[in-house]
Amino acid sequence: MNRKTLVLPAVVGLLATLLAACGGSDEAGDGGEPIVVGTTDAFVTTADYPAPFDPALAYEAGAWNILRNTFQTLMALPRSGGDPTPEAAEKCSFSDQKNESYRCTLHSGMQFANGHALTAEDVKFSIERTLAIKNPNGPVGLLSNIDAVETPSDSEIVFHLKSPDATFPHKLATPAAAIVDSEAYDGTKLRDGFQTDGSGPYTLQTEEKNGQVVSAVFSRNPNYEGSLKLKNDEVEMRFFKDSDAMEEALQKGEIDLMTRTMAPDQVARLERGDSKSIELVEMPGQEIRYLGFDTDDSTAGKTAVRQAVAQVIDRQALVRDVYERTAEPLYSIVPSSVGSHVNSFFNKYGEPDVTEARKTLRAAGVETPVRFTLHYTTDHYGPATAKEFKALQAQLNRSGLFNVSIEGVPWKDFRPAQSNRDYAVYGMGWFPDFPDPDNFIDPFFAKDNFLNSPYRNDTIRTQLIPQTRQQAQRTAAAKDFERAQDIVANDVPVLPLWQGKQYVAARDDVTGVEWALNSSSVLQLWELGRGISG
């Protein structure tokens, strides 16, 4: 068997049977040679990112994958997604009916990997540290609803929220709430470099050159106390300049697994099963890609311009010609695999229509061709990004309504410039912090949104977001989420393009590949083990 196409979590029972048949088990792979994982992620220290693995700063998928394997959080997502369950905590629950007070109790006798005791005070310190540092590129927005943190005892933590929030357990399961050692971190500033001091399943040893990580080794943490079951003692992460070099290493057996970031043509090639020793696993994902607009810009700030772009862009052609159907067209900021999704953009604009776009611009008195630059990052979202933006440029310019240029920028420069509003129109991706529609609305449109967007809609901010968070039964919030998506489609502060699928390619003696990524794109290194090559 050299390829599996699986849908999680519907096939949990089937997977258990498959793994057992292949020699896999909860203890598979203990000891033995390290599992070697390839990635094209790059971790570089800069003035804006002095500590890429500091939980008060890290807020992108690659860095969070490091943090999720080295730090603990009070709660964690189950291996196949769903509602979070206790991790560093023994138990957690709301202690009131309004979802405004949340209480957790730690496991007893907990320690960090360095041997220091882990107590409720460390949890309090970690949360308050991120709130105090309040880095604009960091995840502080996920914690901004916390009003106060109390520690009645060494093992008890109580969070008092400013307003009801049924999604708060999900937020405590993200690296934004990672527990750091209060003896090793400064409470008022970021750490320098790549060192981590956590209590997660692994310790991390990095080798760096010129401020960039060139190797990373994850070793089993003997002090780990939590719910995760490790299938290996050590994982090595190797970094590649591009996906072709990464695939070559996989084919030669120099690495055991690769995922971030694979090119569409690689997926298509591996899907054909040309190599009998490589297994490709496909699973549903919630990654989205979109265009962002500076709504204060003299050009992109015009609603008619943004609406006309939405009327011209052909998503079907984009996923067919650029992504070889490894992605799906997306017509809402909330992906179709998440509850309360509605095709708001398609409902408003329908199929691409240059005539309607021309009418929109003419009615608003906008002269054509409209000129602006599309900015994208050259080294963060995969090798197809440049081709994608050339396709977008061609679509817009072919209409005769736009004169668009494109410019690629390395991520280390792109993200600070985007956050500083240096770009009128730019391409971004989003890997959800947790699988709830709130995580596709609040981070983009709340006051302290992670894009630092000037867009403001009071209906979304002051009515719909608070109302949805009062609903413990998330289906009860569906109408409010649908209304928010319709507002976004009308105002177009962001323009959703496509929703990705997840792929992992691995040597056939690696077990647990089906669980290497969960539905929120979390890299679960602890699931990987050694089996028997078939």
Side-chain angles (χ1 to χ4, degrees):
M1 179 171 60
N2 67 308
R3 182 178 183 271
K4 299 175 186 173
T5 301
L6 303 173
V7 180
L8 300 178
V11 293
V12 172
L14 173 61
L15 287 178
T17 303
L18 285 172
L19 291 176
C22 296
S25 73
D26 279 349
E27 301 303 323
D30 283 346
E33 292 295 316
I35 306 292
V36 185
V37 174
T39 180
T40 59
D41 285 328
F43 301 113
V44 184
T45 55
T46 66
D48 291 299
Y49 286 89
F53 302 152
D54 190 321
L57 173 64
Y59 198 22
E60 51 92 13
W64 269 24
N65 281 335
I66 303 292
L67 269 61
R68 290 180 191 273
N69 287 276
T70 53
F71 288 93
Q72 277 187 291
T73 48
L74 291 171
M75 304 289 284
L77 292 179
R79 62 181 349 198
S80 58
D83 292 331
T85 57
E87 215 298 79
E90 185 177 89
K91 58 182 179 180
C92 287
S93 64
F94 282 104
S95 54
D96 68 330
Q97 294 185 342
K98 293 184 177 181
N99 297 333
E100 289 182 313
S101 182
Y102 197 73
R103 181 181 293 268
C104 292
T105 302
L106 292 172
H107 293 290
S108 61
M110 296 191 69
Q111 292 182 322
F112 289 100
N114 60 18
H116 294 168
L118 190 162
T119 70
E121 283 299 324
D122 290 295
V123 179
K124 175 181 170 71
F125 170 85
S126 303
I127 298 295
E128 292 181 343
R129 176 177 181 268
T130 295
L131 290 171
I133 292 174
K134 200 177 182 179
N135 189 280
N137 296 317
V140 64
L142 288 170
L143 306 177
S144 61
N145 193 38
I146 296 174
D147 187 41
V149 185
E150 291 183 348
T151 54
S153 71
D154 282 348
S155 62
E156 293 178 286
I157 309 102
V158 181
F159 299 93
H160 298 286
L161 307 182
K162 298 174 184 177
S163 60
D165 185 3
T167 71
F168 188 67
H170 282 281
K171 293 170 182 175
L172 288 184
T174 71
I179 305 169
V180 304
D181 183 358
S182 59
E183 296 183 54
Y185 287 78
D186 190 306
T188 60
K189 63 181 182 181
L190 295 170
R191 202 171 197 174
D192 290 328
F194 299 101
Q195 186 177 353
T196 60
D197 281 293
S199 59
Y202 297 97
T203 61
L204 177 67
Q205 185 68 40
T206 61
E207 180 183 347
E208 61 180 283
K209 184 177 181 180
N210 298 325
Q212 180 168 346
V213 175
V214 295
S215 71
V217 175
F218 299 81
S219 301
R220 181 190 289 260
N221 172 15
N223 294 333
Y224 173 68
E225 172 106 17
S227 61
L228 304 177
K229 306 298 182 184
L230 277 67
K231 312 299 194 306
N232 59 70
D233 289 330
E234 187 171 288
V235 176
E236 179 185 351
M237 186 173 285
R238 294 184 187 173
F239 301 87
F240 294 87
K241 63 178 181 179
D242 55 44
S243 59
D244 288 336
M246 182 168 61
E247 183 187 2
E248 182 180 357
L250 182 68
Q251 296 285 3
K252 290 181 177 179
E254 295 171 354
I255 63 174
D256 298 301
L257 178 146
M258 69 176 189
T259 174
R260 283 179 53 89
T261 301
M262 296 168 64
D265 63 311
Q266 287 179 310
V267 173
R269 184 166 54 250
L270 291 167
E271 194 170 29
R272 290 194 299 267
D274 296 343
S275 174
K276 302 303 181 184
S277 62
I278 304 297
E279 174 187 71
L280 180 71
V281 178
E282 174 190 323
M283 55 199 79
Q286 296 170 356
E287 170 195 5
I288 68 170
R289 211 61 65 84
Y290 59 94
L291 295 180
F293 299 89
D294 178 358
T295 54
D296 278 351
D297 181 76
S298 58
T299 299
K302 298 175 181 177
T303 302
V305 169
R306 303 194 301 272
Q307 290 177 333
V309 172
Q311 288 170 318
V312 169
I313 293 296
D314 188 341
R315 297 169 176 82
Q316 294 281 357
L318 199 64
V319 300
R320 180 191 66 230
D321 300 338
V322 176
Y323 286 98
E324 301 188 38
R325 304 192 188 282
T326 60
E328 299 174 346
L330 182 61
Y331 297 95
S332 171
I333 194 64
V334 177
S336 59
S337 55
V338 174
S340 303
H341 162 87
V342 61
N343 286 322
S344 297
F345 275 82
F346 188 85
N347 293 342
K348 181 169 179 62
Y349 303 106
E351 298 289 352
D353 193 326
V354 173
T355 300
E356 287 301 314
R358 181 177 289 107
K359 290 179 181 178
T360 297
L361 293 171
R362 184 177 296 157
V366 177
E367 294 185 4
T368 57
V370 180
R371 299 175 184 272
F372 60 81
T373 299
L374 280 174
H375 283 89
Y376 67 93
T377 176
T378 57
D379 57 356
H380 192 67
Y381 295 122
T385 307
K387 185 177 179 181
E388 174 183 2
F389 275 79
K390 289 178 182 177
L392 290 170
Q393 177 191 34
Q395 288 184 11
L396 291 167
N397 289 350
R398 255 196 323 266
S399 72
L401 303 176
F402 297 95
N403 186 336
V404 173
S405 58
I406 57 174
E407 182 176 346
V409 182
W411 178 255
K412 67 182 180 65
D413 301 317
F414 175 89
R415 178 65 170 118
Q418 176 275 316
S419 182
N420 196 44
R421 301 181 189 170
D422 292 344
Y423 304 145
V425 190
Y426 52 88
M428 287 281 282
W430 180 250
F431 294 84
D433 305 321
F434 51 88
D436 187 278
D438 176 270
N439 196 234
F440 295 88
I441 300 296
D442 178 80
F444 293 87
F445 311 118
K447 179 180 179 182
D448 295 321
N449 64 83
F450 88 104
L451 291 175
N452 193 29
S453 170
Y455 172 73
R456 179 185 181 93
N457 184 282
D458 288 337
T459 299
I460 294 178
R461 286 189 184 183
T462 64
Q463 296 180 36
L464 300 180
I465 292 176
Q467 286 168 192
T468 58
R469 289 182 173 173
Q470 292 180 33
Q471 303 294 340
Q473 296 296 323
R474 304 308 287 154
T475 54
K479 291 298 182 184
D480 286 335
F481 280 126
E482 290 171 8
R483 187 180 174 196
Q485 291 169 79
D486 288 343
I487 291 172
V488 172
N490 182 74
D491 295 352
V492 202
V494 296
L495 177 61
L497 297 172
W498 54 263
Q499 173 181 344
K501 302 174 185 177
Q502 297 190 128
Y503 296 91
V504 178
R507 307 289 299 183
D508 64 1
D509 65 336
V510 179
T511 62
V513 177
E514 292 84 358
W515 304 110
L517 294 173
N518 74 5
S519 62
S520 295
S521 302
V522 174
L523 184 59
Q524 304 179 137
L525 296 179
W526 56 87
E527 296 285 357
L528 302 176
R530 291 282 185 195
I532 300 173
S533 176

